[in-house]
Amino acid sequence: MPKNKTYDLEVRTFLFARDCRFLVRDLKNTISNNEDGKQLIRSSGSVGANYIEGNEKLGDKDLKFRLKISRKEAKESEYWLKLLKALNEQYQERIQNLIEEAGELRKILSSIINKLS
């Protein structure tokens, strides 16, 4: 993620999912990287997909539900990234940046959810 982060959450969640895919593409081909990478691809893509679905809300209850799923997927993405970081020394900084972005997305989503309550 570039230093000048975007504040459009749809774009930001897209960039997060894209960057996770670039990372997985570049990792060494091992069983653990493949399996953890698949999980990361699913969860990182789900962050943005659920956020977008929430924006096409059927009501405040649906919006809040979708945002909570999106937040949960950001947290799950952090988990897979931490596993990948532990096993891929050459990508430490790159993975740490993605872990930080997942955490920031989670905090932003939490803030939106809290404002809806």
Side-chain angles (χ1 to χ4, degrees):
M1 183 57 104
K3 296 284 184 214
N4 56 342
K5 293 185 180 182
T6 183
Y7 292 96
D8 179 332
L9 207 49
E10 281 190 26
V11 172
R12 192 163 169 178
T13 57
F14 171 84
L15 294 174
F16 174 68
R18 181 203 65 187
D19 292 347
C20 286
R21 281 155 177 74
F22 285 154
L23 170 71
V24 170
R25 178 193 66 191
D26 295 343
L27 294 174
K28 185 176 176 185
N29 189 12
T30 66
I31 292 172
S32 61
N33 281 346
N34 291 339
E35 293 304 313
D36 295 345
K38 285 178 189 178
Q39 294 289 350
L40 175 61
I41 286 171
R42 286 186 192 99
S43 61
S44 66
S46 191
V47 175
N50 278 288
Y51 177 74
I52 289 168
E53 278 190 50
N55 282 339
E56 300 300 322
K57 64 181 180 169
L58 302 172
D60 285 343
K61 188 175 180 181
D62 183 59
L63 171 62
K64 195 171 181 180
F65 175 72
R66 296 291 175 189
L67 291 174
K68 284 182 176 181
I69 293 173
S70 188
R71 179 180 62 185
K72 178 185 80 69
E73 296 292 342
K75 190 169 187 170
E76 183 178 331
S77 294
E78 284 182 81
Y79 175 79
W80 297 117
L81 285 161
K82 286 176 183 176
L83 277 174
L84 289 167
K85 183 180 177 191
L87 298 171
N88 292 278
E89 290 182 23
Q90 67 275 35
Y91 295 106
Q92 295 291 299
E93 184 177 342
R94 187 172 170 192
I95 296 172
Q96 184 59 40
N97 289 338
L98 288 168
I99 290 169
E100 289 170 12
E101 179 64 2
E104 287 182 25
L105 289 170
R106 194 170 37 82
K107 289 174 187 172
I108 291 166
L109 292 162
S110 289
S111 177
I112 297 168
I113 291 165
N114 290 337
K115 288 178 184 174
L116 291 172
S117 298

